[in-house]
Structure formats: C-alpha cells, structure tokens
C-alpha cells in the first residue's frame, strides 16, 4: 500500500469513521488515485470530494467509508450501486462482496459511464464482479431483484418505491436525502426501520 494511502486509512480510523477490517482492506486494495482525473492525482489522498467534470464529483473518502460502514456489506451479496461516477465505490463494493458477489452499477451521465467502467477495469478481478448500466436507475433493476443492499451516491428528493420493493427482507438501502444520509432496513414486505445521519453534502441525483 502506498504510504499516502496508508496515511489516509489511518486518518479515517483515528477519526472513528473507519471501523471494519474488511473496509480497511478494501481501501488498501482499491487505490483512490486510480479513480481521480489525471490533473488531480496529487489530491487523491486528501479527505475531500474532487470534481470529475459534468457537474459530478468523486465523493470524499470520509463519506464513502461512512456509507459503507452503515451499509454493512457481506461476502456473496448482490448490490445495486446507483450513480457509479468514477467507479471507485463500485470497485470497493466488488472487493467487499468477494468472488461470489455481484455489483449492478448504474450511471446516467454518458461521459462518466465509460470513465468509471475504464477505471474499474484496472482491477481485472473486481471488474468481472460488476455489471455496468449507462441508464437511469429510478426504476431499479427488476430482472436481478431482490437485492441484499442498495447504495445511492447522489442526493434524492424522494426514494423511488421500486428500490424499496426490489430490496430483500433483511436488506439495507443507504441514500442521501437533502443534507442527511439515511439507512433503511427492510424488516418485512412493507415495513422499514429508518435512521438519519445529518450534515452531509452531495451532488443532486440526475434522472
């Protein structure tokens, strides 16, 4: 692991954001520098969001790790990743689910679709665990439902009901809404337990 990446992982642990060994391993194995634009490589290990162009960003490590911690990914799971952008979070998820898991990654900004896909391709083993879609994710992906986990990288004004319906009972969805991150756990076909974590900022969800 590069020294700067090691320092970033240590910093996130010291802040109390990074708590899980599997996420720490994924951060070490999937180097953020491979997912930031060429002209911003020197900022790859800062705990800041970075512009990708097209009014989108690669989220700050602090936020990505926080969302992954509450998402609580397990080996072998099937995950819908909405707004894959740079591809960094998709690659982290692919690492976390292991060789028997699968990530269904959606991006609607055409220029970013290929960029994110090409970035994940730098990690051949992980690339084969991700299926990429360059399309609107608001209807989810009925064909592969139900999902164990759903994670959303842009702030919503409303959660599409299709996403909740396509989540397994016992599954979790993590998404930004206004300036908070929400975790919903599906306890039955119609019942969800919801938790709010305030004070986060995201780019808007594009539909």
């Amino acid at each position: 692991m590069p020294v700067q990446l090691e320092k970033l992982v240590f910093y996130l642990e010291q802040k109390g954001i990074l708590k899980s060994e599997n996420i720490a391993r994924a951060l070490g194995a999937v180097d953020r520098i491979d997912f930031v634009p060429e002209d911003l490589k020197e900022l790859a290990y800062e705990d800041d969001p970075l512009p990708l162009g097209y009014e989108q960003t690669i989220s700050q490590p602090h936020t990505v790790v926080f969302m992954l911690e509450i998402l609580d990914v397990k080996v072998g799971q099937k995950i819908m990743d909405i707004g894959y952008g740079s591809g960094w979070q998709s690659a982290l998820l692919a690492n976390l689910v292991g060789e028997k898991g699968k990530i269904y990654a959606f991006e609607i900004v055409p220029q970013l679709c290929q960029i994110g896909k090409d970035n994940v391709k730098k990690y051949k083993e992980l690339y084969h665990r991700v299926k990429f879609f360059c399309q609107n994710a608001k209807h989810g992906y009925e064909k592969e439902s139900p999902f164990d986990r759903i994670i959303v990288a842009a702030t919503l004004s409303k959660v599409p009901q299709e996403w909740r319906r396509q989540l397994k009972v016992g599954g979790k969805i993590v998404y930004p809404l206004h300036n908070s991150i929400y975790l919903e756990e599906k306890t039955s076909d119609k019942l969800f337990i919801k938790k709010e974590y305030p004070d986060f900022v995201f780019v808007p969800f594009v539909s």
Side-chain angles (χ1 to χ4, degrees):
M1 194 192 307
V3 175
Q4 285 175 288
L5 179 55
E6 209 168 310
K7 283 182 181 173
L8 174 62
V9 172
F10 180 71
Y11 166 79
L12 293 167
E13 287 173 334
Q14 292 299 104
K15 290 276 285 184
I17 301 298
L18 176 57
K19 300 168 184 171
S20 306
E21 278 185 30
N22 62 336
I23 297 175
R25 280 196 303 270
L27 288 170
V30 181
D31 196 334
R32 190 175 188 242
I33 202 166
D34 293 325
F35 298 85
V36 303
E38 281 300 325
D39 60 336
L40 298 173
K41 295 287 188 194
E42 74 277 8
L43 302 174
Y45 303 114
E46 299 296 319
D47 189 23
D48 292 310
L50 297 173
L52 289 173
Y54 318 104
E55 298 179 7
Q56 303 300 306
T57 62
I58 176 171
S59 295
Q60 71 183 111
H62 175 119
T63 305
V64 171
V65 169
F66 181 84
M67 292 179 80
L68 290 177
E69 285 283 0
I70 62 173
L71 191 67
D72 187 30
V73 175
K74 308 292 186 196
V75 171
Q77 287 187 329
K78 184 160 54 168
I79 299 177
M80 183 155 61
D81 178 27
I82 297 169
Y84 68 77
S86 71
W88 184 43
Q89 184 171 270
S90 300
L92 290 168
L93 288 166
N95 179 286
L96 292 169
V97 297
E99 55 187 38
K100 291 187 177 172
K102 193 75 182 175
I103 311 302
Y104 295 85
F106 287 79
E107 177 56 60
I108 196 173
V109 180
Q111 298 90 333
L112 288 183
C113 289
Q114 198 58 46
I115 290 170
K117 199 173 173 181
D118 288 343
N119 285 340
V120 179
K121 205 180 275 187
K122 295 168 189 171
Y123 295 81
K124 287 191 170 59
E125 187 185 343
L126 301 181
Y127 180 73
H128 295 300
R129 299 175 193 171
V130 185
K131 191 168 172 60
F132 295 92
F133 299 88
C134 191
Q135 65 186 61
N136 196 321
K138 69 179 179 182
H139 298 302
Y141 192 48
E142 189 74 47
K143 184 179 171 188
E144 286 296 335
S145 68
F147 294 93
D148 297 289
R149 302 284 188 266
I150 297 173
I151 186 166
V152 187
T155 194
L156 304 166
S157 53
K158 186 180 172 188
V159 180
Q161 281 307 315
E162 288 96 328
W163 297 355
R164 290 193 177 103
R165 194 171 44 76
Q166 290 173 22
L167 192 64
K168 274 183 186 171
V169 172
K172 295 178 181 181
I173 177 169
V174 171
Y175 59 87
L177 182 69
H178 308 306
N179 292 320
S180 293
I181 289 172
Y182 287 85
L183 163 66
E184 290 190 27
E185 187 167 357
K186 189 172 185 175
T187 55
S188 73
D189 276 340
K190 293 187 178 175
L191 192 62
F192 288 79
I193 295 170
K194 186 190 284 190
K195 267 187 173 179
E196 180 184 3
Y197 303 88
D199 301 322
F200 287 88
V201 178
F202 289 80
V203 294
F205 181 73
V206 181
S207 64

